Amino acid sequence: QVQLVESGGGLVQAGGSLRLSCAASGRTFNVHSMAWFRQAPGKERDFVATIRWIDDITYYGDSVKGRFTIARDEAKNTVYLQMNSLKPEDTAVYYCAADSRLITKATTRPDYWGQGTRVAVSS
């Protein structure tokens, strides 16, 4: 089992920045990639970004390219999501995920989910 604990959510004004963290613990040697998804009220959960642990290759959803950056601290087994130039439409609950395979935008059921952290962007 892998446990994922997110932190860093909050309320920010449009144009501002936030950094989310996701700490992984447990059987992390099985993890191949970690990712962030988000779910806005009344909408489906959407892919935001993923990072592959073996080489730190990253992929992003179209709506966040150029504004969000996913990165990993290998020593801490922690993945970060730096969110800049935030928009009201970025308001959502952000979920961390981990999988023994590469998580992509097509992934709907990763091996592990975190509990989510709420981000609200005011206009």
Side-chain angles (χ1 to χ4, degrees):
Q1 291 289 332
V2 174
Q3 293 78 43
L4 303 174
V5 179
E6 300 107 327
S7 61
L11 174 64
V12 64
Q13 288 188 331
S17 298
L18 277 176
R19 190 178 78 156
L20 306 182
S21 300
C22 176
S25 60
R27 301 172 70 86
T28 58
F29 56 85
N30 282 333
V31 173
H32 179 74
S33 68
M34 287 180 64
W36 290 94
F37 291 76
R38 66 185 182 185
Q39 187 166 19
K43 296 188 176 181
E44 294 185 350
R45 193 170 295 189
D46 289 332
F47 171 80
V48 174
T50 192
I51 185 164
R52 189 165 62 189
W53 278 30
I54 192 170
D55 53 12
D56 286 345
I57 292 293
T58 59
Y59 301 94
Y60 295 91
D62 290 340
S63 62
V64 306
K65 282 180 182 176
R67 299 188 299 123
F68 290 11
T69 302
I70 188 170
R72 181 174 71 99
D73 185 327
E74 182 176 0
K76 296 181 179 179
N77 282 335
T78 298
V79 171
Y80 303 96
L81 185 68
Q82 177 66 42
M83 305 186 294
N84 298 328
S85 302
L86 283 161
K87 306 175 182 180
E89 51 264 43
D90 294 318
T91 295
V93 177
Y94 284 70
Y95 295 92
C96 179
D99 203 289
S100 57
R101 299 153 297 178
L102 179 65
I103 298 173
T104 71
K105 62 181 180 180
T107 302
T108 57
R109 301 172 75 174
D111 293 338
Y112 304 100
W113 285 111
Q115 82 286 355
T117 185
R118 192 173 302 272
V119 172
V121 184
S122 63
S123 57

